[in-house]
Amino acid sequence: MTGTAPVPFTADDYKARMDRAARQAADAGLAGLLVAPGPDLVWLTGYAPPAVTERLTLLVLAAGREPVLVVPTLEAPDAEKATGAPALALRDWTDGKDPYALTAALLDGRGRFGVSDNAWALHLLGLQQALPGTSYVSLTEALPMLRAVKDAAELERLAAAGAAADAAFEEIRNVRFSGRRESEVAADLAALLRRFGHAQVDFTIVASGPNGANPHHEAGDRRIERGDMVVLDFGGLKDGYGSDTSRTVHVGEPTEEERRVHDLVREAQEAGFRAVRPGAACQDVDRAARAVIAGAGYGEYFIHRTGHGIGVTTHEPPYMIEGEERPLVPGMCFSVEPGVYLPGRFGVRIEDIVTVTEDGGRRLNETERDMVIVD
């Protein structure tokens, strides 16, 4: 089961994204944007180089000017096939030539540019040497909300990715946990994500017993035992868009305390979800979830932010964290994932992806949030 293929993005879609990015850069006082291979380049153009190497590939965006993609000559045929290619100009360079001189001719020699976060230092330093009067700022710092508000086609892909992750959970809850290694259950989860349409699996956290107190535990050789609480956190990319969900299951019957902590986290997750509405600040979601856990005396054991954005990557702005006053806007998508982590004992996390609607929020994960008992 992989579901139906999504409606493809068009050259006009990519043109609109590039135009919007260039306008936002100008509004932010930037001379333009320089986008290296990675998620931003794929989102803006539909192009992912066959391999990321020391050869310079760079998209140059500036308001009022045609977008230009600088590419190595040997990769130009691949770039020409990208869906967004009709909306930009290609400038190729051959080995032995100076790609920084070629790129410098496209830039304001005294401008300040936003640069995608994963640009290589090698390339940025090359541009600085060619244009010593320029300055640079990371794209996340300059335009953190560039990809944050999703259109209808993006929301459809995120919903499909969430449904696929849900299907994986419904299957994994029926496998045997006790007596098996965490890594074995993690491998099952990865296989299920792929079976349900994920092209890329980014993480499959299986944290049993005391390992559950580590939010980013790497599934290892520990054998899961009866009586263990097990945190499951998994996701990846389906049709280019991310999934990320967490559920905490119990092997056999839980203790009263384990059930109480699980119920507390479920209540906190519900409170965070209810705080989602247009105009609310990102930090309001964090505050709502955190207040429930702190009110029950477990505040010091909730040790991470309540949520992160998701789109063409599984972690991106906006972040649901104290101090983030940016308002929620319809089309934003992010996780709501409070947790309680008791060192040396167990942990609990419950996570859904939520999108902001015109009058509140909508969950993109719908599996059971009450405690699930597994064998």
Side-chain angles (χ1 to χ4, degrees), residues 14 34 110 130 149 183 198 215 241 251 349 370:
Y14 291 115
L34 306 177
R110 290 178 294 186
V149 179
S183 57
H198 281 64
Y241 281 75
V251 186
R349 181 164 64 257
D370 289 334

Side-chain angles (χ1 to χ4, degrees), residues 279-363:
C282 292
Q283 68 180 5
D284 292 343
V285 179
D286 182 84
R287 287 175 174 178
R290 201 168 298 276
V292 173
I293 292 174
Y298 287 88
E300 67 182 293
Y301 303 111
F302 181 8
I303 56 177
H304 55 72
R305 64 196 175 204
T306 293
H308 58 81
I310 190 169
V312 293
T313 57
T314 49
H315 281 211
E316 61 185 47
Y319 298 104
M320 306 302 111
I321 190 171
E322 179 67 31
E324 178 53 86
E325 298 179 349
R326 197 177 309 276
L328 299 179
V329 176
M332 284 182 173
C333 291
F334 48 84
S335 65
V336 178
E337 51 176 305
V340 168
Y341 308 94
L342 303 178
R345 301 182 62 206
F346 65 88
V348 177
R349 181 164 64 257
I350 300 173
E351 173 185 16
D352 295 323
I353 298 302
V354 173
T355 184
V356 185
T357 65
E358 294 296 332
D359 57 2
R362 175 169 68 96
R363 298 181 195 265

Side-chain angles (χ1 to χ4, degrees), residues 23-181:
R23 287 196 306 271
Q24 289 186 13
D27 291 344
L30 299 174
L33 301 179
L34 306 177
V35 184
D40 291 311
L41 185 63
V42 172
W43 184 79
L44 287 163
T45 69
Y47 177 56
V52 179
T53 71
E54 74 285 353
R55 293 185 174 96
L56 178 71
T57 295
L58 200 68
L59 174 67
V60 179
L61 295 177
R65 298 179 60 180
E66 182 180 28
V68 178
L69 182 63
V70 176
V71 295
T73 300
L74 77 168
E75 294 175 5
D78 293 304
E80 290 170 349
K81 296 175 186 175
T83 304
L88 51 79
L90 285 177
R91 297 285 184 271
D92 65 305
W93 61 277
T94 58
D95 287 350
K97 303 295 185 180
D98 184 353
Y100 307 114
L102 171 63
T103 307
L106 305 171
L107 306 181
D108 176 351
R110 290 178 294 186
R112 181 170 175 79
F113 295 88
V115 182
S116 55
D117 297 359
N118 53 341
W120 285 22
L122 170 72
H123 300 318
L124 190 57
L125 292 169
L127 285 174
Q128 286 181 316
Q129 187 172 8
L131 292 173
T134 54
S135 60
Y136 305 90
V137 61
S138 75
L139 204 53
T140 290
E141 181 180 345
L143 298 177
M145 295 296 106
L146 178 62
R147 305 193 320 248
V149 179
K150 276 63 179 181
D151 62 26
E154 292 181 292
L155 289 173
E156 180 182 338
R157 294 186 184 215
L158 283 161
D166 282 358
F169 176 73
E170 294 296 351
E171 291 282 338
I172 202 70
R173 63 182 288 180
N174 294 317
V175 308
R176 185 167 185 82
F177 279 69
S178 61
R180 302 180 68 211
R181 300 185 190 278

Side-chain angles (χ1 to χ4, degrees), residues 200-289:
Q200 176 178 314
V201 176
D202 288 341
F203 48 90
T204 51
I205 294 173
V206 178
S208 63
N211 290 338
N214 176 2
H216 281 174
H217 172 70
E218 198 73 30
D221 289 337
R222 184 182 185 276
R223 288 197 182 275
I224 302 169
E225 303 172 355
R226 294 198 67 79
D228 278 349
M229 195 86 88
V230 185
V231 179
L232 305 173
D233 185 347
F234 50 97
L237 298 182
K238 180 182 186 295
D239 296 317
Y241 281 75
S243 68
D244 185 2
T245 187
S246 299
R247 293 292 185 263
T248 303
V249 301
H250 198 277
V251 186
E253 285 300 314
T255 65
E256 182 180 335
E257 181 190 21
E258 288 170 331
R259 192 174 289 280
R260 184 173 68 250
V261 172
H262 190 280
D263 287 347
L264 174 65
V265 174
R266 180 178 50 78
E267 291 168 14
Q269 207 269 346
E270 177 66 22
F273 170 69
R274 288 200 306 268
V276 176
R277 62 185 183 280
C282 292
Q283 68 180 5
D284 292 343
V285 179
D286 182 84
R287 287 175 174 178

